[in-house]
Amino acid sequence: MRQTDKSDPRSTSSISSDAYVRETEAPYLPPPPSEVGIKGWLYNNIFQSMSDFSSPAASMRSLLVAMFTVFVFYFFATQLYGLVDFALLSAVWSDADGVKRQACWTVEQGGSLPEGWHGACWPYIFAKTKFILFGAYPLEDLWRVKTTYLVGSLLLVWVLIEPLPYRKLASLLLLVVFPMFATLMLTGGGFGYSQTTVGLYTLLGLALITLRRLGIAGRLTGVFSDLASVSGIAGWTLIFIAAFMAIIGHDFGLTNIDTRDWGGLLITLVVAITAIVASLPLGILLALGRRSQMPIARTLSIVFIEFWRGVPLITVLFMASVMIPLFMPEGVNFDSLLRALIGVTLWQSAYMAEVIRGGLQAIDKGQYEAADAMGLTYWQSMRLVILPQALKHVLPGIVNTVISVFKDTSLVSIVGIFDLLGATQSTLADAAWSSPVQSPTGYLVVASVFFFFCFGMSRYSIYLEKKLDRGH
Amino acid sequence: MIRRTILSAAAGIAMFATGANAATTLEAVKAKGFVQCGVSQGLPGFSNADDSGNWTGIDVDLCRAVAAAIFGDGSKVKFSPLSAKQRFTALGSGEIDILSRNTTWTMTRDTQLGLNFAGVNYYDGQGMMVPAGLGVKSATELDGANICTNTGTTTELNITDYFRANNMSFNLVAFEKADEVVAAYDAGRCDVYTTDRSGLAAQRTKLTNPDAHLVLPEIISKEPLGPVVRQGDDQWFNIVRWTLNALINAEEMGITKANAKSRLAGTENPAIKRLLGGEGKFGEELGLSNDWALNAITAVGNYGESYEANVGPNTPLKLDRGVNALWNKGGILYAAPIR
């Protein structure tokens, strides 16, 4: 663009007396109108590529680009209009006469809408809202689900929004206390575990934590000091389990709601959140195990990861819901939702492990050596040096996995658990609402809900990436 | 259930069996206080959840009737929606007590799966629907037709058999979900839509112009649908079988949900008295109380009432009684007498 002008006074070494020398600074001018505003944006982003008519070849190209642009605009405009028209403009919003499906029937079918009409049947969704959101969960106990949602989302917002105080406390509440609270509220609790069991776990947990303390204090040698390094986590896990059992074992007077009655969005959220929350720590452990020098830990991790990655989720779910009951003694039933939960979690943790292993491999050897040189133990160096960097690197990968498991939860509907998709599909079977637009409406709702959650997760991950970006 | 589950999963303790497995199904059901009934994941008229999430349908009514026969209360029943692949395992493993899920009674199923069919509560058959504009009046004119159906069901097999037996060529267009089949048929991708006739009736209302299609007279398969129980517990088998028989007999005797109690009080007819528990100890023979049938009938009505309420001409399905009428009214429903 920039050309050296021979007449430019600055380019000549001698300045003649009659040459024009500017003595005042040139005023700042606003950018030309063609560069700013809507006009400028349109030119730069759309018309620039099709305004070159300097040669036949360039004109040809500009024409092609113009045609393609028009085509793409037309395509998207019609698609978008089609969607808006279906969902909003042509849609039926109310069923004032209480005629159910006839509210969404055209004249040909015996209804009152014009021939060829095609729009969403919202009264059908309004009638089924409770079922789509909560399944067959008893109406009089719905407040328990709602309270759980409310508490959960408040805690989540507290943890996710940075300027709020006490976020560490909130994350502790969310990860430790909330699962107990949610299980108690949703199932009803009162399982009545024996106090001996709870006490035993507490004691064992305390013993392990003591072992850990002794290890830190340097009172242990040999195999015990190796054990001590992991006994802290194990101890706290046991204490957590004991507390969990104590809480859901206690009878707070809530009615027990069988998981068979759960359904809809509730199932989707329960399965997705459990799988996501449990698979992250499991995945980290598996990834570390796979890169470990210890042959047994490494082999076990590899076998675990390769096994669970090698089978499709559908197979896992079928195995969990069809095969496991056959292996059980007759009359003993594993709760079907719990079976699916465990299956999805294990399956998901194998994927998570591989994503995290990618992050571990991306960390320079020097970081490991530097951590060792500082005298950090293995767990310290992982916790303080390696993992924070590794997890940051693979954040997009982790969120990718999380989003995919959120969508994969809909597979549980093939084993008779009504997730959001399954519940909506089962409402399609209600002949009281059957019409040609019934299933498009139902699927539109399901797609919107999934999009809402997945898009939200994706945006939060972008925010996190920006926040954690250290510019190197 | 969940208590043992969470306990074992969380604590890693092996599952322990309770005393329930030693008992008969009836004792186990009485101990837990409800009947666990396996139903479909949604089939109009047979088992589907209504607007408030309550299960309705003729398969569901049968389960309610069994619950009422045992407990005197038709609401003491819980439903497990099951996929076609899961259903037999769920029954075999004891997850459910009755499978009442539009299941076709075939010899393979009866002999090889460790199950027993306790009767038939709906005689279905595979039918075909074509656009009226095609000008076809009989299935024998369908040589070379494109046929839409569901994958992996016996409907595929039946239609293949039928066309081969009649020396006709055809193109099968199979889809996973019923909705996809209907959409493809409605969009004109195929000339014929085939599934069970009750299914045709249910899906018909999803067509853009239902009146422009007609169901051909041919019925190309026998699909007797009925409740299934585990093999080896004859008492439970008898309870389910005779509850179904009681509902059919009640229709034959004109005993309805509304008049059952007054009929018992005001009749001298021994057949009615035996059915409703006014005479004999028929309930006790089943391990129930003698008013078991009375309770079942007052809970869901007789077979005819259940039919009319769920699949009959006044419901969205608009199915005539056809072969499902009583034997003395032109159908083939014939229940053994209670005596």
Side-chain angles (χ1 to χ4, degrees):
Chain A
M1 281 298 176
R2 205 162 189 190
Q3 286 169 343
T4 322
D5 194 344
K6 286 272 158 51
S7 62
D8 188 342
R10 280 170 295 180
S11 67
T12 53
S13 52
S14 63
I15 300 167
S16 55
S17 60
D18 60 332
Y20 171 73
V21 177
R22 180 155 201 161
E23 287 168 349
T24 55
E25 206 175 307
Y28 288 105
L29 295 173
S34 67
E35 289 292 314
V36 291
I38 297 174
K39 205 175 147 195
W41 187 91
L42 283 176
Y43 178 76
N44 282 328
N45 292 285
I46 296 173
F47 294 111
Q48 196 175 33
S49 55
M50 47 181 109
S51 56
D52 185 1
F53 291 96
S54 54
S55 69
S59 318
M60 201 67 191
R61 200 179 58 218
S62 298
L63 270 177
L64 278 176
V65 170
M67 280 160 59
F68 188 67
T69 310
V70 169
F71 172 73
V72 168
F73 268 101
Y74 173 76
F75 180 75
F76 280 108
T78 48
Q79 291 302 304
L80 195 68
Y81 177 75
L83 185 66
V84 172
D85 182 51
F86 178 83
L88 305 172
L89 304 179
S90 296
V92 172
W93 289 95
S94 70
D95 171 24
D97 307 330
V99 289
K100 296 198 171 182
R101 59 187 185 152
Q102 273 159 351
C104 301
W105 274 3
T106 60
V107 178
E108 288 168 311
Q109 290 160 311
S112 55
L113 293 158
E115 205 171 308
W117 170 86
H118 196 68
C121 182
W122 293 118
Y124 149 66
I125 295 296
F126 299 148
K128 299 291 184 187
T129 304
K130 188 255 161 187
F131 196 77
I132 291 175
L133 292 185
F134 306 103
Y137 209 91
L139 265 179
E140 64 273 18
D141 287 307
L142 268 193
W143 63 271
R144 282 158 51 178
V145 185
K146 288 176 182 161
T147 318
T148 314
Y149 280 174
L150 186 72
V151 173
S153 38
L154 282 181
L155 281 174
L156 195 68
V157 166
W158 191 2
V159 171
L160 294 189
I161 295 180
E162 214 177 338
L164 294 176
Y166 305 114
R167 284 174 63 224
K168 276 204 169 144
L169 174 71
S171 38
L172 199 70
L173 285 176
L174 186 66
L175 290 177
V176 178
V177 181
F178 180 69
M180 303 184 195
F181 174 75
T183 316
L184 176 70
M185 286 300 267
L186 295 179
T187 62
F191 297 121
Y193 297 116
S194 74
Q195 293 189 339
T196 337
T197 325
V198 176
L200 211 67
Y201 283 126
T202 319
L203 281 181
L204 201 60
L206 286 176
L208 283 170
I209 293 168
T210 320
L211 189 68
R212 167 92 182 124
R213 294 283 158 202
L214 287 174
I216 292 175
R219 301 267 180 84
L220 297 171
T221 49
V223 70
F224 281 109
S225 73
D226 288 342
L227 276 181
S229 57
V230 284
S231 70
I233 301 175
W236 282 114
T237 314
L238 277 180
I239 298 270
F240 174 74
I241 292 172
F244 200 94
M245 286 167 65
I247 287 184
I248 63 167
H250 184 72
D251 191 356
F252 289 92
L254 296 170
T255 330
N256 273 52
I257 312 286
D258 198 289
T259 54
R260 269 183 264 262
D261 292 338
W262 302 14
L265 185 63
L266 173 64
I267 285 280
T268 300
L269 290 179
V270 166
V271 175
I273 292 176
T274 314
I276 290 166
V277 171
S279 71
L280 197 62
L282 269 179
I284 292 177
L285 283 182
L286 285 169
L288 291 177
R290 193 165 184 171
R291 285 174 58 78
S292 153
Q293 307 288 325
M294 293 184 279
I296 294 180
R298 192 175 61 234
T299 316
L300 284 180
S301 305
I302 291 177
V303 168
F304 183 94
I305 292 171
E306 294 304 331
F307 173 76
W308 287 102
R309 273 206 314 170
V311 286
L313 182 55
I314 294 197
T315 318
V316 175
L317 289 171
F318 268 127
M319 185 82 185
S321 75
V322 179
M323 300 295 285
I324 289 182
L326 292 180
F327 301 150
M328 296 283 183
E330 199 179 327
V332 176
N333 288 319
F334 229 126
D335 182 79
S336 61
L337 177 63
L338 192 73
R339 281 184 307 213
L341 267 183
I342 294 173
V344 177
T345 306
L346 294 181
W347 186 82
Q348 177 64 13
S349 59
Y351 277 86
M352 200 58 102
E354 287 299 278
V355 171
I356 291 166
R357 190 167 68 95
L360 293 175
Q361 277 175 347
I363 304 297
D364 193 80
K365 204 179 161 199
Q367 297 288 324
Y368 289 91
E369 288 169 353
D372 286 348
M374 287 176 73
L376 299 181
T377 66
Y378 175 77
W379 291 104
Q380 281 173 327
S381 69
M382 286 302 141
R383 192 164 54 86
L384 301 171
V385 181
I386 307 299
L387 281 177
Q389 303 182 64
L391 292 180
K392 196 192 85 186
H393 280 311
V394 291
L395 198 61
I398 292 178
V399 175
N400 202 16
T401 323
V402 162
I403 288 179
S404 92
V405 76
F406 190 87
K407 291 187 285 189
D408 283 343
T409 53
S410 58
L411 287 175
V412 298
S413 65
I414 59 162
V415 294
I417 300 171
F418 283 156
D419 76 314
L420 176 63
L421 180 63
T424 312
Q425 272 175 346
S426 90
T427 66
L428 294 181
D430 190 351
W433 284 103
S434 81
S435 72
V437 291
Q438 187 192 15
S439 63
T441 311
Y443 287 122
L444 180 67
V445 169
V446 175
S448 316
V449 175
F450 270 112
F451 182 78
F452 170 78
F453 281 99
C454 295
F455 188 67
M457 284 189 269
S458 145
R459 296 315 292 180
Y460 185 72
S461 111
I462 290 175
Y463 159 78
L464 263 192
E465 277 166 45
K466 279 194 187 137
K467 193 189 106 182
L468 297 175
D469 187 27
R470 294 283 177 271
H472 51 251
Chain B
M1 307 291 137
I2 193 169
R3 112 175 61 158
R4 289 202 298 269
T5 327
I6 288 184
L7 178 67
S8 59
I13 288 177
M15 299 291 303
F16 50 90
T18 58
N21 62 346
T24 65
T25 310
L26 180 62
E27 285 167 28
V29 163
K30 278 183 172 164
K32 65 184 173 186
F34 58 88
V35 176
Q36 190 76 50
C37 171
V39 291
S40 78
Q41 288 168 296
L43 182 70
F46 288 82
S47 45
N48 66 272
D50 68 7
D51 287 356
S52 36
N54 295 322
W55 286 92
T56 59
I58 58 172
D59 284 350
V60 168
D61 276 353
L62 185 68
C63 285
R64 291 195 197 282
V66 171
I70 297 169
F71 298 107
D73 179 356
S75 67
K76 294 202 166 164
V77 55
K78 292 192 179 180
F79 296 98
S80 296
L82 298 168
S83 69
K85 295 175 182 106
Q86 268 183 306
R87 52 185 166 182
F88 299 120
T89 328
L91 181 63
S93 69
E95 206 175 308
I96 54 173
D97 304 312
I98 313 175
L99 178 68
S100 185
R101 190 202 175 280
N102 50 284
T103 304
T104 305
W105 184 356
T106 66
M107 184 169 171
T108 331
R109 286 173 177 172
D110 208 351
T111 54
Q112 293 178 8
L113 296 174
L115 310 169
N116 277 333
F117 282 80
V120 176
N121 67 338
Y122 190 88
Y123 290 94
D124 212 340
Q126 189 170 339
M128 285 177 255
M129 181 154 62
V130 293
L134 210 60
V136 172
K137 293 280 167 277
S138 153
T140 49
E141 301 165 32
L142 287 173
D143 196 10
N146 290 317
I147 299 175
C148 278
T149 188
N150 292 68
T151 51
T153 59
T154 47
T155 49
E156 241 175 320
L157 180 75
N158 293 334
I159 196 85
T160 311
D161 285 355
Y162 180 80
F163 273 75
R164 275 175 48 196
N166 287 292
N167 260 328
M168 297 190 291
S169 67
F170 68 104
N171 252 330
L172 205 60
V173 188
F175 298 88
E176 171 75 25
K177 294 255 172 229
D179 282 321
E180 294 169 49
V181 188
V182 179
Y185 173 72
D186 205 13
R189 276 196 58 190
C190 30
D191 316 311
V192 184
Y193 171 27
T194 180
T195 188
D196 288 351
R197 283 171 78 101
S198 64
L200 286 180
Q203 302 299 344
R204 189 179 189 143
T205 48
K206 299 195 176 178
L207 296 169
T208 327
N209 189 352
D211 294 335
H213 300 266
L214 58 97
V215 176
L216 297 176
E218 282 85 358
I219 295 176
I220 63 167
S221 75
K222 293 198 284 185
E223 310 282 347
L225 311 178
V228 197
V229 295
R230 272 183 299 279
Q231 205 163 302
D233 188 342
D234 289 352
Q235 183 193 31
W236 184 249
F237 173 79
N238 284 338
I239 291 174
V240 176
R241 157 168 280 181
W242 283 97
T243 306
L244 176 59
N245 280 344
L247 297 185
I248 298 172
N249 278 324
E251 189 189 359
E252 204 177 321
M253 298 175 193
I255 301 167
T256 64
K257 193 176 182 170
N259 74 9
K261 285 208 169 93
S262 55
R263 286 294 292 275
L264 173 62
T267 189
E268 285 308 315
N269 183 339
I272 293 178
K273 287 182 92 168
R274 281 196 293 266
L275 173 65
L276 297 178
E279 200 178 298
K281 293 188 177 341
F282 297 96
E284 278 174 31
E285 298 296 326
L286 288 171
L288 308 174
S289 62
N290 281 330
D291 57 357
W292 61 285
L294 177 68
N295 290 334
I297 296 161
T298 38
V300 299
N302 64 39
Y303 180 85
E305 288 179 278
S306 171
Y307 189 99
E308 292 303 323
N310 294 303
V311 294
N314 295 324
T315 67
L317 267 73
K318 296 195 175 63
L319 284 166
D320 290 328
R321 282 298 282 269
V323 291
N324 290 296
L326 292 173
W327 63 281
N328 53 10
K329 292 195 181 139
I332 55 172
L333 274 197
Y334 188 102
I338 291 175
R339 63 172 186 250

